[in-house]
Amino acid sequence: RNPFSMAVSNYHYHAKKPIPRPEMWITRQNPCQVTYPNGELFADYVLPSLSKRSYEALNINYDSRLITRSEFEAIANDCESLYQTRKGLETANQFEHLMNLDAPDGLRLATAELTIQGDDNGGDMLRMSNNILKLKQAEKIVQNSWMGGRNKEFQVYTLSLDDFISEPKKSALEFLNFVFDHNAADVSMEQKESAAMKYSHTYLNKKEGSRHITDGKASDKKQLAEYLR
């Protein structure tokens, strides 16, 4: 997912009533907690994978680390500057903060939790980056191993959620073409196009009534994404 649209969507989804039953964690966890219950640091697990050495070995070119430890700590400090420090919110939980902070500050808190929270439900932003690199690493290991010489492949398909939202049928068809490539003679293009059309209709019908799908339902989406930048 595009990290900016992901962060804004996460904020819009959680900063409203009622709280969906699967999301009750937002009333219990500390969004700024960066350790697991055993005391280990979330950063110690994800930051090594996001180091320059890690992705250069995969022929991925960036100028520096994706995130440094000092940047991780700066996000944690920003989170702590927002959480239970405002008048009237000294004992409030994360949900109460999102309901009472102005949108930029609420977005900062929600995005911090999405990035650095190591105990409960957070940290998805860095886990997403970690997973991408780990899958790339697995792909390269297979290519360089004995399996690669026996026509064995480990292929990873990356689907942008932003592309899917704008063109669900096209995205679904591209995914089906990846799964059922030209060697899959038992699955015709007509069958794949029909399945993609049905999936697109299901998504579009669900979009209006689903709270979980936030696209197109908030007028400040672009403004908040620019604020994060």
Side-chain angles (χ1 to χ4, degrees), residues 136-148:
K136 278 286 187 182
Q137 187 178 44
E139 193 174 26
K140 186 168 184 179
I141 289 172
V142 171
Q143 289 173 351
N144 295 335
S145 71
W146 62 269
M147 291 181 288

Side-chain angles (χ1 to χ4, degrees), residues 85-151:
T85 60
R86 307 288 177 90
K87 185 176 181 180
L89 296 176
E90 294 90 343
T91 61
N93 59 42
Q94 183 179 344
F95 176 71
E96 291 166 335
H97 277 74
L98 298 186
M99 295 300 296
N100 287 280
L101 293 173
D102 60 25
D105 286 347
L107 177 63
R108 281 166 56 201
L109 181 65
T111 305
E113 183 271 338
L114 191 65
T115 306
I116 55 94
Q117 211 279 344
D119 175 39
D120 199 342
N121 196 71
D124 288 349
M125 194 79 76
L126 294 187
R127 288 190 181 98
M128 178 177 68
S129 302
N130 175 75
N131 292 344
I132 291 170
L133 290 171
K134 288 299 183 183
L135 287 169
K136 278 286 187 182
Q137 187 178 44
E139 193 174 26
K140 186 168 184 179
I141 289 172
V142 171
Q143 289 173 351
N144 295 335
S145 71
W146 62 269
M147 291 181 288
R150 301 180 62 178
N151 296 319

